[in-house]
Amino acid sequence: SILNTSRLDIQSPAKTKVVRFQLDYNLESLLLDFVTEKDRNLYQNLLCQIRTVGQEIRDDDLTQLLREARGCISILDTNFRLFVQVVLILRWAHRSDEVVVEYKGFLQELCSAHNYYTKQVIDHLVSSFKFDNEEWKDSQPTDESIKCFNNIHHVIKSILSLIPMSKEILITSLKKNYPYMKKSSHEHETYVYNMLKIIDYIPTMREEILKIIITKLITLDTHSPRAELESSMQEQSEQQAEDIFEIDNCEMETEIPDFAETHPVAHSLDISLTLIFKYIREYCYPDGKTIDNNRTKSLYLDMFKVFEAVILPTHAIHHVQFLMFYIVGIRPPLAVLFIQTLWKKVSNPNEALFIRQASVFYIASLLSRAKCISINFVQEMLNEISKWANNYISRQEESLNFDFGLHRIFYTTCQAIFYVIAFRYKELVQGKGLVLLQGLNLGKIVTSRLNPLKACVPTVATHFASVARKYQLAYCYTIMEHNARAALPRVQRDSAGVEIVQEYVLDAFFPFDPYLLIRSYEFIIPNYREYSGSTEETSLPSIADEDDEDDFLDATFQQMSCSPNFSYSFSPGLSTDKRALINS
């Protein structure tokens, strides 16, 4: 037996040692002696020696150990869990072909003969996704990394084939082993890459795997606040300007900046989203050029289920939802289907209130931002939404007044109408479009006793009022001025006696406001519409908050000529700075 004579070198900082397996029995005899309690020390010494040598074990010694282990698979019951665990600790995927063949065979035969080891084996394989020391360029693994990961996936695929019920174990393991938020970006990158590779050979698990990834990315997204990213981008922009100034008259190459140093969590999010965008593109364009409509539709349906389950109910995330923006942009009919499905949720009174409200936010933002959506469909949706709003008003008693809590969906829907019109009015008034706008009965909505302008985000109300006055759609300023004078916050006490100030204004959440992640931004650009500016009017009534720094509001009062942003973030959008960084 090789266990009698093998020599395993260990490298230590102090000196080089030689460790020998000095055993009088082959592995099977050693294991049997342990079970019968004839000699337990040899087995324990073997475990200690393997753990001591660890990753420094030579390929030929590991090969022989695995061969002998395969020869006694039948006796490796629960008494030898520790032996199996010690063998699983050894990294093997990067080793010689002989080691890889023996290791694969050992794992497959072990799970086949003793299925209670399946969880332990799958956990080991999944955790191996995170072990990669090679740096990737443009989210593309090296040839060596691909070879190692392919070896791991081959074993997973074979185990799932042998034990179909192990799919549940795999899903649980993928959740459990997902890198913690603050782990390195490369660890996130390798893990997401390998989760997507599993979909290639087990397509039936795609929805579950995407749900795991996206759920984890939402955590990264919520820990990457827009204000922090904008501040980081501003600092990088200023630093680049200083560097260029210092090295004036010198040519230098500038790399596209990212958040690797300034905001590692955002950098991990950026890299992970890049991998998913690439997966979507490669799946929908199997030959790299022509879209496969059936594949695209099937992927969209899985993505929408994940969207319904984890993205739609999550408030105020900034980037993960752009996965849906990207896939519907690949095939415009999907954008129509997406919006129509969301509108059914809004129209359904049995849906949860927060789901209906979030659906309105997504409809308004997508109608405004997506280039793939034709102006004809925008007009159709405006007609549908305004008809719903007018019918809602007609159903209410004449005595009803403003009630933010009771009519929240109505106010959210009205704000969506105002937002889309203010954003795309230049296209909406072309040709017969103005007649269609005038037929929306906006005057009835605006002057309703429910007073929707009072609940709107001030920037939305201001821009809509400007457009409505110019094209005589409705006159809003008298109402807005009255609302401004009567805008007194309501103070209440909760059950603990703490004062709560309630302000009756809708959340400034528009899911497709400017995208700030730099690496994955390239996937968003082709279908993304920037705000093209306000109306020509410059003298608007001073009803807006003078301290509001929103770029959209700045565009109204300052008439910015360079593609101003239509963004309702709580701090100013910096996508202009981002473009400057990318182009520098």
Side-chain angles (χ1 to χ4, degrees):
S1 169
I2 189 66
L3 299 178
N4 295 13
T5 59
S6 62
R7 300 183 178 183
L8 303 170
D9 297 334
I10 303 178
Q11 298 292 333
S12 68
K15 57 182 180 178
T16 301
K17 298 180 181 179
V18 176
V19 178
R20 299 182 180 183
F21 286 116
Q22 296 180 341
L23 302 174
D24 297 329
Y25 307 98
N26 63 24
L27 182 60
E28 184 174 5
S29 299
L30 184 150
L31 298 177
L32 290 174
D33 286 348
F34 175 76
V35 172
T36 60
E37 298 187 1
K38 181 179 180 181
D39 190 339
R40 302 177 70 90
N41 290 333
L42 289 176
Y43 172 73
Q44 293 169 353
N45 290 339
L46 172 64
L47 299 182
C48 291
Q49 289 176 357
I50 296 175
R51 284 191 296 185
T52 301
V53 175
Q55 309 307 329
E56 300 300 323
I57 188 170
R58 294 199 305 246
D59 283 5
D60 56 343
D61 293 325
L62 180 55
T63 300
Q64 189 59 38
L65 176 63
L66 291 168
R67 283 176 182 165
E68 296 205 20
R70 292 179 69 182
C72 52
I73 283 288
S74 60
I75 65 173
L76 290 178
D77 57 17
T78 54
N79 291 314
F80 300 104
R81 279 188 176 276
L82 193 55
F83 172 76
V84 172
Q85 183 178 343
V86 169
V87 174
L88 289 178
I89 290 173
L90 302 174
R91 297 183 187 174
W92 56 277
H94 65 290
R95 293 180 180 269
S96 65
D97 292 342
E98 291 78 9
V99 171
V100 170
V101 169
E102 293 297 333
Y103 207 102
K104 286 180 179 179
F106 171 72
L107 295 179
Q108 292 164 3
E109 292 168 12
L110 180 68
C111 291
S112 180
H114 310 284
N115 57 18
Y116 43 78
Y117 281 120
T118 303
K119 180 181 182 302
Q120 196 173 348
V121 169
I122 287 180
D123 278 341
H124 155 70
L125 294 170
V126 170
S127 65
S128 299
F129 291 161
K130 298 181 282 189
F131 301 138
D132 182 76
N133 297 323
E134 303 286 337
E135 286 299 321
W136 296 5
K137 183 178 181 181
D138 298 328
S139 298
Q140 179 60 38
T142 63
D143 292 341
E144 182 64 25
S145 296
I146 292 175
K147 179 182 177 182
C148 293
F149 291 140
N150 284 344
N151 289 332
I152 297 170
H153 286 293
H154 181 270
V155 181
I156 293 176
K157 183 179 179 181
S158 63
I159 290 175
L160 293 178
S161 177
L162 289 169
I163 311 171
M165 297 299 292
S166 60
K167 289 182 180 179
E168 291 299 323
I169 297 174
L170 176 59
I171 289 295
T172 302
S173 184
L174 289 172
K175 292 178 183 177
K176 184 180 74 173
N177 285 283
Y178 201 100
Y180 177 61
M181 176 180 64
K182 293 186 178 180
K183 288 291 185 179
S184 71
S185 296
H186 186 55
E187 190 169 316
H188 282 269
E189 183 176 39
T190 58
Y191 200 80
V192 171
Y193 169 85
N194 282 291
M195 288 184 74
L196 294 173
K197 291 297 290 184
I198 293 175
I199 299 175
D200 289 343
Y201 55 87
I202 319 176
T204 56
M205 295 179 66
R206 180 170 63 193
E207 180 188 339
E208 293 176 281
I209 290 176
L210 288 174
K211 185 176 180 179
I212 294 171
I213 298 174
I214 290 174
T215 300
K216 297 297 183 180
L217 294 188
I218 286 175
T219 301
L220 297 182
D221 204 355
T222 55
H223 285 82
S224 304
R226 181 176 288 272
E228 290 182 11
L229 301 190
E230 290 171 341
S231 176
S232 174
M233 294 170 66
Q234 182 68 31
E235 290 173 6
Q236 290 187 64
S237 179
E238 292 173 356
Q239 184 60 47
Q240 271 200 357
E242 291 177 7
D243 292 343
I244 293 173
F245 194 73
E246 291 174 2
I247 314 178
D248 197 17
N249 299 325
C250 295
E251 292 185 1
M252 69 174 190
E253 295 183 0
T254 58
E255 297 181 354
I256 295 177
D258 53 36
F259 298 108
E261 296 182 1
T262 58
H263 206 300
V265 173
H267 184 57
S268 298
L269 174 64
D270 198 2
I271 286 177
S272 300
L273 285 174
T274 298
L275 287 169
I276 305 178
F277 283 130
K278 284 186 175 181
Y279 168 78
I280 294 172
R281 182 177 63 190
E282 291 168 5
Y283 186 81
C284 296
Y285 294 89
D287 63 355
K289 297 179 181 179
T290 308
I291 186 172
D292 186 316
N293 290 330
N294 291 330
R295 287 167 66 94
T296 304
K297 179 69 176 295
S298 69
L299 179 57
Y300 163 80
L301 293 176
D302 283 344
M303 290 284 293
F304 185 80
K305 291 175 184 176
V306 177
F307 171 83
E308 274 187 306
V310 296
I311 298 179
L312 185 60
T314 308
H315 181 66
I317 51 177
H318 309 300
H319 299 97
V320 175
Q321 62 266 31
F322 276 88
L323 292 171
M324 291 304 298
F325 185 91
Y326 179 66
I327 193 169
V328 300
I330 291 176
R331 189 161 179 254
L334 294 180
V336 173
L337 177 62
F338 180 63
I339 290 175
Q340 289 175 338
T341 306
L342 290 177
W343 179 244
K344 288 179 182 177
K345 292 181 179 295
V346 178
S347 306
N348 182 5
N350 296 320
E351 281 281 0
L353 179 66
F354 73 98
I355 292 295
R356 296 176 70 192
Q357 188 172 20
S359 298
V360 177
F361 288 142
Y362 276 93
I363 290 171
S365 199
L366 192 63
L367 285 174
S368 301
R369 293 288 188 180
K371 291 181 180 178
C372 65
I373 297 179
S374 69
I375 196 62
N376 290 335
F377 182 68
V378 174
Q379 291 169 333
E380 289 177 20
M381 284 306 303
L382 283 175
N383 185 59
E384 184 75 17
I385 298 172
S386 61
K387 186 183 296 183
W388 181 92
N390 278 294
N391 289 339
Y392 186 93
I393 294 170
S394 299
R395 288 196 302 268
Q396 307 306 313
E397 297 178 7
E398 290 299 326
S399 59
L400 278 184
N401 293 316
F402 181 87
D403 189 323
F404 188 77
L406 183 61
H407 306 295
R408 184 183 295 267
I409 297 302
F410 170 76
Y411 294 129
T412 308
T413 302
C414 291
Q415 178 173 269
I417 297 171
F418 303 156
Y419 178 86
V420 174
I421 291 175
F423 202 105
R424 300 193 65 172
Y425 76 93
K426 290 183 179 179
E427 298 165 90
L428 288 169
V429 299
Q430 298 297 317
K432 296 181 180 179
L434 183 57
V435 176
L436 295 174
L437 281 181
Q438 291 170 343
L440 298 181
N441 207 359
L442 296 174
K444 178 181 177 181
I445 296 174
V446 168
T447 58
S448 161
R449 297 187 62 161
L450 295 176
N451 195 0
L453 287 172
K454 184 176 181 179
C456 283
V457 175
T459 48
V460 176
T462 301
H463 277 253
F464 171 74
S466 173
V467 173
R469 178 168 67 175
K470 179 175 181 179
Y471 296 101
Q472 299 181 0
L473 303 176
Y475 192 74
C476 309
Y477 291 121
T478 302
I479 298 171
M480 293 169 68
E481 289 170 356
H482 177 268
N483 290 340
R485 289 193 297 270
L488 296 176
R490 183 178 178 182
V491 180
Q492 292 182 333
R493 292 183 182 273
D494 62 12
S495 57
V498 179
E499 288 189 353
I500 302 174
V501 178
Q502 295 182 334
E503 295 185 3
Y504 299 115
V505 177
L506 292 165
D507 293 326
F509 175 56
F510 293 91
F512 302 119
D513 268 358
Y515 191 89
L516 300 181
L517 301 179
I518 296 172
R519 291 198 177 200
S520 49
Y521 185 55
E522 63 174 291
F523 295 93
I524 306 303
I525 295 174
N527 188 36
Y528 195 74
R529 175 180 284 104
E530 299 284 355
Y531 178 56
S532 59
S534 182
T535 64
E536 290 77 1
E537 298 185 22
T538 56
S539 57
L540 300 179
S542 56
I543 56 176
D545 185 354
E546 294 180 358
D547 295 329
D548 192 337
E549 296 181 348
D550 191 278
D551 283 349
F552 178 27
L553 194 57
D554 290 343
T556 304
F557 292 101
Q558 299 175 14
Q559 291 301 294
M560 296 169 63
S561 59
C562 54
S563 184
N565 289 315
F566 195 138
S567 172
Y568 297 105
S569 308
F570 291 105
S571 54
L574 294 176
S575 60
T576 302
D577 291 323
K578 177 173 65 179
R579 287 193 294 273
L581 285 170
I582 294 175
N583 295 330
S584 61

